[in-house]
Amino acid sequence: MSSRRIALATCSSLPALDDDDVPLVPAFAQRDVVAEPVVWDDPAVDWAGYDLVLIRSTWDYTDRPREFLDWVRRVEKSTRLVNPASAVEWNVDKSYQRTLESAGLPIVPTIWLDPERNFDSRQIHTRFPAFGDFVIKPTISAGSRDTGRYSAGETSSRALAITHAKSLLQAGRHVMLQRYLRQVDTVGETAIVFIDGVFSHAVRKAPLLSGPFRAPTTTSVLYKEEVMSARDASPAEREVAERVVAALPELVPGVDGPLVYARVDLIPDDAGNPVVLELELTEPSFFFALAPGSIDRLVDAVVARL
């Protein structure tokens, strides 16, 4: 019997893992490694009893980011964590995009609203674009939660946007205001997955945002359902994503080489050039079913760290 054990960290809503990750268990078993789904905030878990903890579907952390980061640091003190705590801490708040932009990497143009500024309705309104659609979302979020799309040319839509932004700010959350890049409606997003710093595969995400933010009718909603399909990343998309991944050791504290995994989500700007919408280093979906061989690539990368 194998003496090597790893925990696949998940959340209480998905105690047996997300469907996409379930094949990881037999894939690790084929390499003589016991992989067990474990709920990240279960107080009874002895994390030191595992040789490695692989963060997977911990998608409720956005409701308790401080608790999650405390857990990340605690786990790393007792065993190996993938990805490492420093990368997770840097990545859970989307303000990391400021660092990408400062490094010359293309992001969606963003206006940042700080709750400490105590913005009133007029101050929020003046930051909206004069035309076109725009998006409001908190800097700590996942799966398009707490995110809405609004029309600058409609008074009622702008009023809803002000209400949305104010509610986030009053809750102490930092807010991103981004112009909606319309080519995403036809092209969609391209999610590019890297394993051990090397391109693995790409998938297409159909557009998700169709209107203003609406509070979910149930508290169990972790993310909006995504419509996914396989996609060949264009040379321009590959080039941007590879630049982002190559820059990580210089941008992320404590990272001195390739991370086990990274996912770069890109959308086209108005000229069709790819820009970074998200950089996922914490708990991204990999859409294994759309990319033959991708499970083996990830599992081999993890086993190499044991």
Side-chain angles (χ1 to χ4, degrees):
M1 184 175 178
S2 172
S3 61
R4 299 187 296 177
R5 299 172 68 224
I6 72 168
L8 303 176
T10 184
C11 62
S12 58
S13 297
L14 296 166
L17 299 174
D18 180 61
D19 289 345
D20 191 55
D21 285 331
V22 169
L24 287 171
V25 175
F28 277 109
Q30 290 173 2
R31 292 155 176 83
D32 199 31
V33 176
V34 175
E36 302 172 353
V38 186
V39 175
W40 73 269
D41 57 350
D42 181 348
V45 176
D46 176 16
W47 299 102
Y50 293 98
D51 298 291
L52 182 145
V53 175
L54 177 64
I55 302 175
R56 292 312 310 128
S57 41
T58 57
W59 295 330
D60 59 356
Y61 81 85
T62 58
D63 295 326
R64 295 168 290 153
R66 291 184 181 177
E67 182 179 338
F68 180 71
L69 290 177
D70 286 343
W71 171 80
V72 164
R73 299 183 194 105
R74 187 170 67 253
V75 168
E76 192 166 75
K77 289 180 180 178
S78 59
T79 187
R80 182 181 293 272
L81 183 70
V82 173
N83 278 327
S86 61
V88 172
E89 188 167 4
W90 182 85
N91 186 239
V92 294
D93 190 310
K94 292 180 179 62
S95 60
Y96 68 76
Q97 293 194 22
R98 296 189 188 203
T99 305
L100 297 182
E101 186 176 33
S102 296
L105 296 163
I107 69 167
V108 178
T110 302
I111 293 173
W112 307 86
L113 303 181
D114 185 333
E116 282 74 30
R117 294 282 301 277
N118 294 314
F119 290 104
D120 60 26
S121 296
R122 181 179 177 279
Q123 290 171 322
I124 294 172
H125 183 271
T126 59
R127 283 158 173 80
F128 293 165
F131 59 89
D133 288 4
F134 60 96
V135 173
I136 288 175
K137 59 186 175 184
T139 62
I140 299 180
S141 178
S144 297
R145 294 176 69 191
D146 302 317
T147 299
R149 174 180 171 182
Y150 304 92
S151 175
E154 297 178 10
T155 301
S156 60
S157 187
R158 293 176 75 94
L160 289 172
I162 291 171
T163 299
H164 183 192
K166 285 186 69 174
S167 67
L168 292 172
L169 292 167
Q170 288 170 356
R173 304 177 76 178
H174 293 252
V175 173
M176 305 169 70
L177 195 163
Q178 298 177 319
R179 192 165 62 83
Y180 187 82
L181 300 179
R182 283 197 168 273
Q183 287 201 38
V184 75
D185 287 337
T186 53
V187 178
E189 297 178 30
T190 301
I192 302 183
V193 176
F194 290 80
I195 296 174
D196 251 347
V198 177
F199 171 81
S200 171
H201 60 280
V203 298
R204 177 188 186 270
K205 290 186 185 183
L208 279 176
L209 294 178
S210 58
F213 166 71
R214 293 179 177 84
T217 56
T218 172
T219 56
S220 64
V221 175
L222 289 174
Y223 57 89
K224 293 184 178 181
E225 286 295 331
E226 298 174 322
V227 179
M228 311 300 303
S229 57
R231 163 170 277 177
D232 291 329
S234 70
E237 290 171 332
R238 285 278 298 269
E239 189 268 339
V240 169
E242 287 168 355
R243 283 173 56 202
V244 171
V245 171
L248 292 179
E250 297 180 3
L251 303 180
V252 184
V255 172
D256 56 7
L259 294 171
V260 169
Y261 57 81
R263 199 186 83 198
V264 185
D265 294 351
L266 304 168
I267 59 175
D269 65 13
D270 291 340
N273 300 311
V275 296
V276 178
L277 179 66
E278 302 276 358
L279 168 61
E280 299 276 5
L281 306 179
T282 303
E283 30 60 67
S285 294
F286 296 124
F287 315 110
F288 294 124
L290 297 174
S294 56
I295 288 180
D296 291 329
R297 288 190 285 273
L298 179 68
V299 169
D300 286 341
V302 172
V303 171
R305 265 69 174 182
L306 291 173

